[in-house]
Amino acid sequence: MNGYTSLGSLFLNQNFRSRSVNAENPTGEKGMGGMKPSELGPSRKGSPCLRDIPPHARVDLAKIEGPGIIRHIWITVPYKTTDADCFVLRDLVLRFYWDGDITPSVEVPLGDFFCCGFGRTCMVNSLPIAVVPSRGFNCYFQMPFRKSARIELENQHRNAIPVFFYQIDYSLVESLPEDVLYFHARWRREKLTQKGVDYTILDGVKGKGQYVGTYLALTTLERYWYGEGEVKFYLDGDRDYPTICGTGTEDYFGGSWSFAVQENGKTVEQQYCTPYLGYPYYSNHDTEHHPYHNDDTMPQRGFYRWHIEDPIAFSRDIRVTIQQIGVGYRGLFERQDDVASVAYWYQTLPHEPFPAFPSAEDRWPR
């Protein structure tokens, strides 16, 4: 074995070295953790977090020499930096760089990366992503790198981030297979989709790889059921029509019949979290953490779908879209909504550079 672990292989002798990066050991070096003293004395919780990350600052959370595999990422940030703060999870940007590449393979707002869009937290109980009280963000996607890994945080918030806690657990291995694929994730948003034009979850990907997940943050701007749109996968040169076409939005996320039950004569959507798919977030009002708490916010919903047991393979390119189609008393109709998404995939390097990342203002939820 060479560092590939699962529940069924934990009893096997593994040929790797375990390391971890956090504020107590920012380099991950052997025997160098917890060295900074505190008022309690030497090596007594002297540096548990990063402090006072100023606006516009870019901080390297990890710089690791390979070959290796990132196993687990844990992050938490305060609920509020000031009384007027409500968008910090969209204002903090994560970027991952592999093998010295100058363009990121991951570029996603922190909250959305962990399936918490809209600047809001919610409980997520899935295999690769788990969010637990209070704002404990966990990622278990395995991320191999041959030469180096660099994980960067940028603070695009208007205020300093007073404390930032994190830990990145990884393994150093002797070698990686020649056909290893690299982890990628990209965020997109259309604040108002075009009528009759499918929303693009992912495009511009060149190379060989596997699509492994979708997070969708939907703010509905029109009445009636929103989820008739089909998810489409255009593979290896597909143009007008995709190779894989789903049957509806709730179908793609593993649900059916509008996620709904009837309660006291009203249709009520049911939320759920499972290892591979879920509907963890629904709100039609501002939370208690919003300075302008009220009940007139457009409905917001968050969904995830992990293609772990059913990855979507591509040899040359891939494009992923979803229709904005609803249904009402007159039948099907084309909708216009506010849609944001994260696409997760593995592919060969080099990769095509991502388009310019939207500004913080363009990422703020409605």
Side-chain angles (χ1 to χ4, degrees):
M1 298 291 289
N2 193 21
Y4 309 109
T5 59
S6 69
L7 186 62
S9 64
L10 291 178
F11 61 89
L12 298 174
N13 187 24
Q14 300 288 339
N15 189 21
F16 63 84
R17 292 165 290 154
S18 297
R19 299 289 185 266
S20 184
V21 167
N22 58 22
E24 289 281 17
N25 189 353
T27 65
E29 293 180 68
K30 184 178 183 301
M32 300 291 284
M35 297 179 66
K36 190 172 181 179
S38 74
E39 64 272 16
L40 299 178
S43 189
R44 304 299 292 173
K45 204 176 178 71
S47 182
C49 63
L50 304 180
R51 298 186 183 275
D52 297 319
I53 302 174
H56 313 299
R58 299 173 75 144
V59 178
D60 282 338
L61 302 180
K63 295 177 72 174
I64 307 167
E65 297 299 316
I69 305 169
I70 292 174
R71 306 285 193 181
H72 171 235
I73 298 171
W74 168 80
I75 291 173
T76 190
V77 293
Y79 270 99
K80 295 190 287 186
T81 58
T82 72
D83 288 339
D85 169 53
C86 55
F87 299 141
V88 67
L89 296 182
R90 278 261 168 99
D91 288 345
L92 296 176
V93 181
L94 290 173
R95 298 187 181 92
F96 299 8
Y97 301 81
W98 309 126
D99 290 359
D101 198 344
I102 61 173
T103 61
S105 292
V106 171
E107 190 170 35
V108 181
L110 187 148
D112 292 70
F113 182 79
F114 293 97
C115 301
C116 291
F118 316 106
R120 308 286 190 257
T121 51
C122 61
M123 298 283 285
V124 179
N125 185 14
S126 78
L127 193 63
I129 298 291
V131 182
V132 299
S134 295
R135 278 196 179 185
F137 300 109
N138 295 269
C139 173
Y140 283 94
F141 277 116
Q142 305 289 280
M143 305 179 191
F145 53 95
R146 199 178 304 280
K147 298 177 182 177
S148 63
R150 182 166 71 89
I151 297 181
E152 175 190 86
L153 174 78
E154 181 178 2
N155 178 19
Q156 295 185 355
H157 194 55
R158 57 190 170 185
N159 302 313
I161 305 302
V163 293
F164 185 91
F165 290 83
Y166 74 101
Q167 183 157 319
I168 300 166
D169 302 309
Y170 62 98
S171 301
L172 297 176
V173 300
E174 292 186 353
S175 64
L176 291 169
E178 289 300 316
D179 58 353
V180 71
L181 300 175
Y182 291 80
F183 181 79
H184 289 67
R186 178 184 166 193
W187 187 85
R188 295 189 80 257
R189 183 192 189 183
E190 287 186 28
K191 297 176 76 172
L192 184 64
T193 57
Q194 300 180 57
K195 187 172 290 188
V197 178
D198 295 355
Y199 170 83
T200 299
I201 296 170
L202 180 65
D203 65 355
V205 173
K206 305 294 182 184
K208 185 174 183 177
Q210 298 170 169
Y211 187 89
V212 297
T214 306
Y215 170 67
L216 190 72
L218 171 66
T219 302
T220 50
L221 306 180
E222 299 192 37
R223 293 182 64 187
Y224 304 117
W225 169 243
Y226 55 86
E228 292 300 317
E230 299 172 346
V231 178
K232 304 175 183 178
F233 291 88
Y234 297 81
L235 306 174
D236 301 332
D238 289 344
R239 294 186 178 274
D240 295 333
Y241 299 99
T243 296
I244 298 174
C245 183
T247 58
T249 303
E250 84 272 41
D251 308 345
Y252 174 71
F253 292 105
S256 61
W257 304 116
S258 309
F259 309 113
V261 295
Q262 296 296 316
E263 294 183 0
N264 299 321
K266 294 183 179 181
T267 299
V268 178
E269 294 178 35
Q270 301 174 97
Q271 296 172 243
Y272 57 95
C273 282
T274 78
Y276 300 125
L277 38 88
Y279 175 7
Y281 184 80
Y282 171 76
S283 178
N284 61 359
H285 61 83
D286 291 328
T287 70
E288 66 273 17
H289 304 298
H290 195 294
Y292 308 112
H293 176 61
N294 56 58
D295 293 321
D296 61 1
T297 299
M298 291 77 72
Q300 298 174 326
R301 298 169 173 90
F303 310 93
Y304 64 84
R305 167 75 152 87
W306 307 126
H307 295 271
I308 294 176
E309 301 297 337
D310 57 344
I312 309 296
F314 57 95
S315 297
R316 292 185 293 153
D317 55 70
I318 186 173
R319 179 164 59 97
V320 185
T321 67
I322 184 172
Q323 300 165 323
Q324 290 306 107
I325 296 177
V327 67
Y329 69 97
R330 291 184 175 178
L332 296 174
F333 67 97
E334 300 281 357
R335 297 178 57 96
Q336 291 182 278
D337 293 307
D338 181 342
V339 185
S341 59
V342 180
Y344 307 78
W345 75 100
Y346 288 86
Q347 72 159 92
T348 52
L349 290 182
H351 67 97
E352 295 292 308
F354 297 166
F357 199 63
S359 67
E361 290 81 2
D362 287 335
R363 300 196 307 270
W364 287 351
R366 289 179 181 269

